Amino acid sequence: MLYASVGRVGLRALSGTGFSPLSLFAAGEKGAWYDPSDLSTMFQDSAGTIPVTGVEQPVGRINDKSGRGNHATQTIEGTYPVLRRTGSGLYYLSFDGVDDFLVTPPLDLSSTAQVSTVAGVEKSTDTAGVISEGGTSINTGSGKFSLRTDANPDFSFISRGSISAQASSVATYTIPATVVLTGLGDIVNDLSTLRINGVQVSQVTTDQGTGTTYSGSNVYYIGRRAGTSVPFNGRLYGMIILNRSFTGQELVNTESWMNGNTGAY
Amino acid sequence: MAYAFATLIVTAADASLARSIAASFGPGGEGMWTAELSFNGLGPATHYISTGYITKQFIDLAPCTTWEQEQNGVWVEVDYYPGDAESVYEQASQAGVQCSLSGIEGLFLRSDCSKQQPFVAIERLGLIIVNTEISP
């Protein structure tokens, strides 16, 4: 399925409709929603006792705004991402490309065979980096996905039943590259789709192997594979993970909302 | 809790001791120095790095070198704080870490600790992050 691009004009129109990503979870859907523009959701410590009150502070916890309680945390000294803000006032988590990462609790994505994820990202260097990835590696285990940067191609979304299916960007992006990435996975129908800035750029139908739903037990690492390798060097303006497909309008609304956080297009 | 920014690079041979000492300061110290460095970007690691915001109480005990870069690109050490090896030894030994004061002093001397941004410190030392192949 190919969806139309929606730019800033669309965003302004949608702001009048009051779309919130929270509506994606209204029927009890599983997933998570992280929003660095909402300072009230962030803390300097993983326990959530020291609020983040401004930029240049470490973020040891960002609360999940989906209502599912999947707060992403960090406990290891030196590995906290840092809250920063662009000149135009957009907040983001800065990952240093060395050792920064956050980790979610096990995300129960076992309700359906589909997963959707949208992230506002700046890729700061032309290197491989894990933006979000389930479990210890996308190369092992089952029922998971990975969203990442690479040297070439620049961005990829990988959906995995028991076999990985990688949808990658084709165009070359000048560094720093600010984009809204959307990954759409379906392990039963063998679809792995990558959209960038509201436009589908790749869809593969590689056999994803066995499995009828995504896993209910994978933690998701944000910023580093398993918290030990493939560090992401860049900015995260927001992230949504939803355990079902978007409707066409939801996709448009969610990408536009994320672009409002990111200023990518 | 106050945090301060630091970049702490230790040799691979010292990494185990550094990790044990850090862990003795609390659970936040567990898991430091997992990012690998080497001179050619390939394994095995010759050094490990931890960088970012770290509890100030911990940082204040570690050594710290201040660097300035001359116009010809050469880095010059302009200040050096040796750290507080005695206090670290006291904390670590009370927590059951098998170590000696001289061992900690040696670790401090061989480490490269500064407030430089990580990639500046890494480049100054001629090191490269070891990044595993990402496949698929």
Side-chain angles (χ1 to χ4, degrees), chain A residues 130-148:
Chain A
V130 163
I131 300 167
S132 61
E133 186 170 87
T136 54
S137 167
I138 192 65
N139 300 316
T140 59
S142 60
K144 58 175 69 172
F145 73 85
S146 178
L147 190 65
R148 73 184 200 211

Side-chain angles (χ1 to χ4, degrees), chain B residues 20-90:
Chain B
S20 297
I21 291 170
S24 75
F25 279 79
E30 296 177 7
M32 295 180 72
W33 292 289
T34 58
E36 300 179 331
L37 304 172
S38 74
F39 292 102
N40 58 8
L42 303 174
T46 60
H47 296 73
Y48 287 85
I49 180 171
S50 272
T51 180
Y53 282 94
I54 297 171
T55 306
K56 194 167 183 305
Q57 175 192 11
F58 183 81
I59 285 300
D60 285 348
L61 298 173
C64 183
T65 304
T66 303
W67 297 91
E68 282 185 6
Q69 192 169 29
E70 296 184 332
Q71 286 190 338
N72 62 7
V74 174
W75 286 101
V76 177
E77 180 183 320
V78 296
D79 190 32
Y80 177 70
Y81 168 65
D84 186 348
E86 287 190 24
S87 294
V88 171
Y89 171 68
E90 188 175 333

Side-chain angles (χ1 to χ4, degrees), chain A residues 44 50 56 58 75-78 80 82 96-99 128 139 148 150 158 164 166 224-225 229-231 233, chain B residues 1 3 27-32 34-35 49-55 118-119 122 129 131-136:
Chain A
Q44 298 184 50
I50 307 170
E56 294 304 322
T75 61
I76 304 170
E77 298 272 5
Y80 316 104
V82 178
D96 67 5
V98 178
D99 58 1
N139 300 316
R148 73 184 200 211
D150 249 325
I158 303 165
S164 296
Q166 180 172 356
R224 205 174 177 208
R225 171 169 287 175
S229 64
V230 200
N233 191 333
Chain B
M1 188 180 298
Y3 296 92
E30 296 177 7
M32 295 180 72
T34 58
I49 180 171
S50 272
T51 180
Y53 282 94
I54 297 171
T55 306
F119 286 99
I122 290 169
I129 290 181
N131 212 346
T132 53
E133 282 293 314
I134 187 164
S135 177

Side-chain angles (χ1 to χ4, degrees), chain B residues 17 21 24-25 61 84-105 108:
Chain B
L17 177 59
I21 291 170
S24 75
F25 279 79
L61 298 173
D84 186 348
E86 287 190 24
S87 294
V88 171
Y89 171 68
E90 188 175 333
Q91 166 72 28
S93 57
Q94 284 180 1
V97 177
Q98 296 294 314
C99 61
S100 64
L101 177 58
S102 62
I104 292 173
E105 289 171 338
F108 280 10

Side-chain angles (χ1 to χ4, degrees), chain A:
Chain A
M1 190 179 294
L2 190 64
Y3 298 100
S5 173
V6 173
R8 282 201 164 274
V9 172
L11 173 67
R12 281 194 292 273
L14 286 168
S15 66
T17 68
F19 172 79
S20 165
L22 186 60
S23 65
L24 302 169
F25 303 91
E29 290 92 336
K30 305 295 177 56
W33 169 26
Y34 306 112
D35 178 10
S37 73
D38 184 347
L39 269 63
S40 71
T41 65
M42 290 175 288
F43 300 86
Q44 298 184 50
D45 61 325
S46 62
T49 60
I50 307 170
V52 169
T53 56
V55 295
E56 294 304 322
Q57 293 180 356
V59 178
R61 170 170 166 150
I62 181 166
N63 281 348
D64 170 18
K65 293 177 69 172
S66 76
R68 301 296 162 266
N70 292 317
H71 313 314
T73 59
Q74 176 55 269
T75 61
I76 304 170
E77 298 272 5
T79 61
Y80 316 104
V82 178
L83 181 68
R84 296 201 166 109
R85 186 173 52 194
T86 67
S88 55
L90 300 174
Y91 286 93
Y92 60 90
L93 299 181
S94 176
F95 290 82
D96 67 5
V98 178
D99 58 1
D100 291 350
F101 71 99
L102 296 167
V103 62
T104 72
L107 292 187
D108 182 0
L109 303 180
S110 63
S111 301
T112 76
Q114 291 82 37
V115 74
S116 307
T117 186
V118 179
V121 167
E122 180 193 282
K123 176 186 177 184
S124 301
T125 57
D126 221 4
T127 53
V130 163
I131 300 167
S132 61
E133 186 170 87
T136 54
S137 167
I138 192 65
N139 300 316
T140 59
S142 60
K144 58 175 69 172
F145 73 85
S146 178
L147 190 65
R148 73 184 200 211
T149 65
D150 249 325
N152 183 26
D154 282 286
F155 301 100
S156 293
F157 171 76
I158 303 165
S159 175
R160 180 181 175 93
S162 58
I163 301 170
S164 296
Q166 180 172 356
S168 297
S169 57
V170 177
T172 299
Y173 293 81
T174 302
I175 302 302
T178 302
V179 294
V180 171
L181 299 175
T182 301
L184 307 172
D186 185 329
I187 60 177
V188 166
N189 294 304
D190 293 325
L191 292 173
S192 186
T193 305
L194 175 66
R195 295 167 55 87
I196 299 181
N197 294 344
V199 177
Q200 181 173 309
V201 297
S202 176
Q203 183 174 71
V204 297
T205 56
T206 308
D207 177 15
Q208 296 187 34
T210 59
T212 56
T213 70
Y214 283 87
S215 170
S217 59
N218 281 313
V219 301
Y220 275 73
Y221 291 91
I222 300 169
R224 205 174 177 208
R225 171 169 287 175
T228 58
S229 64
V230 200
F232 169 55
N233 191 333
R235 304 174 176 181
L236 182 67
Y237 292 91
M239 178 179 288
I240 293 166
I241 298 169
L242 179 66
N243 184 205
R244 65 169 172 80
S245 300
F246 286 125
T247 67
Q249 191 60 51
E250 284 176 339
L251 178 63
V252 169
N253 289 353
T254 305
E255 288 176 333
S256 294
W257 183 90
M258 190 63 75
N259 191 43
N261 260 29
T262 309
Y265 61 99

